Structures are given as structure tokens and as C-alpha cells.
Amino acid sequence: MNEEEFLQSYDPKAFDSPIISVDSILFTYHQQQLKTLLVKRANHPFKEAWGLPGGFVDLTEDRTLEETALRKLNEKTGVTPPYIEQLKTYGNADRDPRSWSITVCYSALIAHQDCAPHIDSVDDVNWWPVETLPELAFDHQQLIQDALQRLQQKALYSVIAGYALDKEFTLPELQALHEAILQKPLQKRSFRRRIEQADLIEETGKMKSEGHRPAKLYRLKPKSNAFTFTRNLEN
Amino acid sequence: MNEEEFLQSYDPKAFDSPIISVDSILFTYHQQQLKTLLVKRANHPFKEAWGLPGGFVDLTEDRTLEETALRKLNEKTGVTPPYIEQLKTYGNADRDPRSWSITVCYSALIAHQDCAPHIDSVDDVNWWPVETLPELAFDHQQLIQDALQRLQQKALYSVIAGYALDKEFTLPELQALHEAILQKPLQKRSFRRRIEQADLIEETGKMKSEGHRPAKLYRLKPKSNAFTFTRNLEN
DNA sequence: CTAATAGTGTCTATTAGACATTATGTG
DNA sequence: CACATAATGTCTAATAGACACTATTAG
């Protein structure tokens, strides 16, 4: 049998296979809190419980796993997040009552206001502070913890968290977000010095005033999602 | 319908699903070279081509994805590597001629001599220097490049590469391995200072002599695979 | 002795931490 | 003016880079 004949006769359902889904942890920052998007499940298993936005690969619709993740996030928020990265894949015999199950998990960031129109219009999708989550379906509690831990690491050597803010943001806002992620205060001087030296943001020329001295508004430069510092913040 | 009834009636083959496999990049260090394990494919597709060791999840045999990876590595090497971590999951419509395909990819390290008895006895499994790989099946060339890049990053802030050496190794050997991974020389003083300060290795009391001044033999301490420096080596 | 490799001393350069100081807005 | 927040100055501490130097083996 040559390869062509093999492919002709190949039956994808000949062997038992795990069920496979794609889930995302979508983070945002709102009201001084780091929040994550949860969806109330409409179907079994764990019907009516809250869980992560996700679903199955659509073999005709999706060209890649990331497209599956983004399609599902778009269904729930009405928009596509500006930052997404693969987190980890979870697969074992016990995590799903239906069968041996695999979920490819993504972590994403978006500005709260970009989602507001869509999310405010439905009641099965909501932002939850990461510090006070409800009971969750499957092992989703664990996935969120892992995503948070990874985000905490990245907050020590990158500025990707900025994608959870509006396009134009101030440095005090960016620092407050990093502090919310890390759950500890940062040194203002250290935080700003390295961002400035690495040339990761640019001034918009505008200011944001909230009753006291106004702060400069910045935007992320195009490739700042790819930049990493070679030394972590530690305190 | 309640959840119990739902699970009773659930048919895992009702929907079309990607085919799913688990592949591993296994690295070792031998003859001053970083090498990776390749297997000559016995079956279609890409029959007779070299590819990564891997295969399908055995729903009854494997409890987790990592067990699948380790089972396949054991089949090819006769042993279980002391270090394995999940690298990334690759999934898209084009990577496999059979169908939409997903592979969960692991990266592992092992000492060359631990595999020698088994690998020397077969001719469809072999170590290849990462700098001179043959034509590979699927997108395996890409997976190896990604694994190498991750290993290079880790070589800058951890000592996990030590798992690619014999249990007892010298510091010059460990540094030479890091240099082979990074493809550039490192400062001896910087390299040794941080390992010593972080308390990651311990002396065995033995020495290794090769014609000149003998070097102390060390072994990795138990939790040194979990340790990361907060600052990278840069030169 | 020399050659070769292992291991240490020590100075410089860089960058984060700490925290004081100045700047700019509101009422 | 006082007060709050934004932004900067500046000193210290920690650690990597550079490279000279000493130590220990084989001939």
C-alpha cells in the first residue's frame, strides 16, 4: 500500500480517542481588580455551573487551535482580544465525566470597555474577580490558577499586561494593574525606569486628569508583546 | 434530561474531531554535541521518514498525557527520562495529510549512557545532532526548533540541562553543555558563582581526571529542576 | 620544567531597591 | 494656601562580565 492508498482508506473513527476542547482564560482589569471571564454552562455536564469560555474545534470553520479559541471568545464577548497565548494542555482520564478528555488552554487579555457592550446585554457571561470565584465546572479552577501564575511571572519581566487596559493608559494605571496581578506593591522608580529604557511605550501627547496632577497618556508600541526583560522585578 | 441520563446517552463519536497524538523531543549531550532522538517511521503517512518519538493516547493504558509521552519514550529508549515538561500543542488543518490534527508536544532530557543499551540494539531509533537533522515527517522540524529555543531560554536561568548528563558530572561538563545549547561561550565565573549561591548541586566527594587537573564530581540536588534565577545570563 | 585544564580573586558595569524631592493639578 | 497624585533625583545593594591569577594533574 502506498501513501495515497493509505490516505484513501484511512478511517479517523477507527480508534477510540479522547474528546478534545479548547478553553480560554480571558483576563481584564476593572475597578482596581483583576477579573476573568466566566460563562454559565447551558448544557451537560456541569449544566448551570460557571466555567471557562471554550468549546470544540470546528473542523471546517477553524484553521488552527488559536482560531478556535478566538472564535469562542468572540461569541461570548463580541470582540477579539489583542493578546492571546497558549497556556498549557490538560489531558487525563478523570477531568471529564464523559470520557478521557483533553483541553488546549489559552490565556488572553482585553480591555474591559471593549467587551462592555456585548457582555452587558447577556446574563450568562460575566467578569469575576480572580480573588472571589464561584464553584467552577471541570478542573477550571486549576486552569485559572495556572493562568494567573503565568501572568504573575510575565508581570515581572514584560509589559503584556497592558493589553488588559484601554489603548491609551497612564503609567500609574499600568503599575496598579501589575500590582493587582502580583498582589504586592512595586517600586515606582524601578517599574518606570525599565519600561522607559526598553522603549516599550510611546506618549500620545494627551493627559488624563482625575482631580490632581494629570498623568501622561501612553500607548503600547507594536512589538512590545514580544519583549522580555532579562532581569525580573523582585520587590 | 439530568446529568446522569446525559452521560448514559453520550456518544463520543457523534461529532467529527481532530486526530490527536503526543510527541516528544528528547535531548541528550554526547561527544560535545546536543542531540535529539529520532525514529524511522514504520507506517504511513511519511513512511520511512525520520520523525519524533510519539503516538496516540491509549485510553485504558494512560492516565495522563504525560504518561502517554513517557510510555512512548520508554518504548524507544528502554528507560524513563528524569526530566520532562510540556512544550506546546500544535493543531491545525494542514499539518497531517490524514485530517485536522493536534499533537501535544513534550520536551525531555536524559543522559546518553542510560539509553545506550537499548538504542544500540535497534536500527530505527537514533540520536541526531540538532545542527544536522535529516528531512523530517510532518512539522517536526518546527517542533524541534521550538523545543531548542525553549531549552536555550532555560539554559539562561536554570540548571535543568544537567539532566542530560550522567548522574555525576563536573562543572566544566555542565558549562560545556550550556554552551552547546546556547551556541556561544559563557563566562566561567558567572556560570559557577550563581550555581554555587543557589545551592543547586552537591559534591559527591569523587573526582574525574582526564589527563590534567582533575575536576570535582557533583550531582543535582533533588529540587534543582524547580529552581529559576531571577536574572538571566547574557554573555 | 611545560602544557593543559580546574578553580578562585577581584574589579567594573549595570540595574533594581529605597526613598526623598520636585512638579502640577484641584478646591 | 493645603493636599493629592505624577514624575524625577540619587544613593545603595546585588550580581553579572571580564579577565588575571593560582592549583593540580600528566608528561
Side-chain angles (χ1 to χ4, degrees):
Chain A
M1 186 163 71
N2 64 25
E3 179 145 340
E4 193 180 350
E5 290 163 349
F6 164 81
L7 292 172
Q8 285 290 333
S9 66
Y10 178 75
D11 173 14
K13 295 190 180 180
F15 301 98
D16 284 338
S17 175
I19 54 178
I20 165 107
S21 60
V22 179
D23 290 314
S24 297
I25 295 102
L26 180 63
F27 291 107
T28 197
Y29 183 60
H30 187 57
Q31 293 173 331
Q32 278 77 257
Q33 289 185 304
L34 184 67
K35 299 186 178 183
T36 188
L37 192 80
L38 296 178
V39 178
K40 189 171 255 178
R41 293 179 57 81
N43 303 307
H44 290 301
F46 296 100
K47 191 171 175 174
E48 305 300 324
W50 292 90
L52 291 171
F56 298 108
V57 176
D58 182 323
L59 299 197
T60 55
E61 203 62 30
D62 306 327
R63 304 272 312 159
T64 66
L65 285 169
E66 192 170 296
E67 280 186 25
T68 306
L70 290 172
R71 177 173 57 81
K72 285 291 170 182
L73 286 175
N74 193 288
E75 286 175 11
K76 299 303 180 188
T77 64
V79 289
T80 297
Y83 182 85
I84 187 165
E85 64 162 327
Q86 199 181 292
L87 176 65
K88 186 177 164 180
T89 297
Y90 299 78
N92 60 58
D94 310 315
R95 59 182 302 279
D96 189 315
R98 287 169 289 189
S99 130
W100 221 105
S101 152
I102 292 172
T103 191
V104 182
C105 191
Y106 283 82
S107 179
L109 298 166
I110 198 165
H112 183 270
Q113 70 169 27
D114 292 349
C115 305
H118 190 283
I119 291 179
D120 292 347
S121 71
V122 298
D123 62 358
D124 64 337
V125 181
N126 245 308
W127 292 110
W128 290 76
V130 293
E131 313 234 24
T132 56
L133 297 173
E135 286 289 306
L136 293 177
F138 304 102
D139 49 4
H140 288 184
Q141 180 82 47
Q142 183 64 50
L143 312 208
I144 293 172
Q145 284 315 308
D146 290 354
L148 178 57
Q149 210 175 319
R150 173 104 133 234
L151 186 60
Q152 286 174 332
Q153 267 307 112
K154 295 225 163 189
L156 296 174
Y157 62 76
S158 80
V159 293
I160 57 152
Y163 290 102
L165 298 175
D166 294 340
K167 274 213 176 47
E168 303 198 344
F169 57 86
T170 70
L171 283 177
E173 285 168 355
L174 184 58
Q175 182 174 343
L177 166 54
H178 277 245
E179 290 174 339
I181 291 169
L182 294 166
Q183 300 167 343
K184 71 177 183 186
L186 293 173
Q187 290 285 341
K188 178 165 53 173
R189 204 69 176 97
S190 305
F191 184 77
R192 301 170 79 118
R193 197 167 26 201
R194 62 205 324 244
I195 291 176
E196 181 177 22
Q197 285 202 1
D199 198 31
L200 293 173
I201 59 179
E202 60 188 3
E203 297 186 17
T204 65
K206 286 178 263 179
M207 307 289 281
K208 179 167 185 172
S209 188
E210 288 189 315
H212 302 286
R213 176 172 174 176
K216 287 182 183 173
L217 279 165
Y218 295 86
R219 69 175 74 86
L220 288 172
K221 286 197 175 185
K223 285 167 192 163
S224 54
N225 60 330
F227 184 86
T228 56
F229 296 96
T230 57
R231 190 170 166 181
N232 286 6
L233 288 177
E234 284 166 34
N235 256 300
Chain B
M1 185 163 69
N2 65 23
E3 179 144 341
E4 194 179 350
E5 291 163 346
F6 163 81
L7 291 172
Q8 285 290 332
S9 66
Y10 179 76
D11 173 13
K13 296 190 180 180
F15 300 98
D16 284 339
S17 175
I19 55 178
I20 165 106
S21 60
V22 178
D23 290 313
S24 297
I25 296 102
L26 180 63
F27 291 107
T28 196
Y29 183 60
H30 187 57
Q31 292 173 331
Q32 279 77 255
Q33 288 185 303
L34 185 67
K35 298 186 178 184
T36 187
L37 192 80
L38 296 179
V39 178
K40 190 171 253 178
R41 294 179 57 80
N43 302 307
H44 290 301
F46 295 99
K47 191 170 174 175
E48 305 300 327
W50 292 91
L52 291 171
F56 298 109
V57 176
D58 183 323
L59 299 196
T60 56
E61 204 61 32
D62 306 327
R63 306 275 308 162
T64 67
L65 285 168
E66 191 170 297
E67 280 186 24
T68 305
L70 290 171
R71 176 173 56 80
K72 285 291 170 183
L73 286 175
N74 193 289
E75 286 174 10
K76 300 302 180 189
T77 65
V79 290
T80 297
Y83 182 85
I84 187 165
E85 65 162 325
Q86 199 181 291
L87 176 65
K88 185 175 164 183
T89 297
Y90 299 78
N92 61 58
D94 310 315
R95 59 182 301 280
D96 189 316
R98 285 170 289 188
S99 131
W100 222 107
S101 153
I102 292 172
T103 191
V104 183
C105 190
Y106 284 82
S107 179
L109 299 165
I110 198 165
H112 183 271
Q113 69 169 29
D114 292 351
C115 304
H118 190 283
I119 291 179
D120 291 348
S121 72
V122 299
D123 62 358
D124 63 338
V125 181
N126 245 308
W127 292 111
W128 291 75
V130 294
E131 313 234 24
T132 56
L133 296 173
E135 286 289 307
L136 293 177
F138 305 102
D139 49 5
H140 289 185
Q141 180 82 47
Q142 182 65 50
L143 312 207
I144 293 173
Q145 285 315 309
D146 290 355
L148 178 57
Q149 209 174 320
R150 174 106 133 233
L151 186 59
Q152 287 175 331
Q153 268 307 111
K154 295 223 164 190
L156 296 174
Y157 62 76
S158 80
V159 293
I160 58 152
Y163 289 103
L165 298 175
D166 293 341
K167 274 213 175 49
E168 304 197 345
F169 57 86
T170 69
L171 283 177
E173 285 167 354
L174 184 59
Q175 183 175 343
L177 166 54
H178 277 246
E179 290 173 339
I181 291 169
L182 294 166
Q183 300 167 341
K184 72 177 183 185
L186 294 172
Q187 289 285 339
K188 179 165 54 171
R189 203 68 175 99
S190 305
F191 184 78
R192 300 170 80 117
R193 197 167 27 202
R194 62 201 330 239
I195 291 176
E196 181 177 21
Q197 286 202 359
D199 199 32
L200 293 173
I201 58 178
E202 61 188 2
E203 296 185 17
T204 65
K206 287 179 265 179
M207 306 289 280
K208 179 167 187 173
S209 187
E210 289 188 312
H212 301 285
R213 176 173 175 174
K216 288 183 182 173
L217 279 164
Y218 295 86
R219 69 176 73 88
L220 287 171
K221 287 197 175 185
K223 285 170 190 159
S224 54
N225 61 330
F227 183 87
T228 56
F229 296 96
T230 58
R231 190 169 166 182
N232 286 6
L233 288 177
E234 285 167 33
N235 256 298

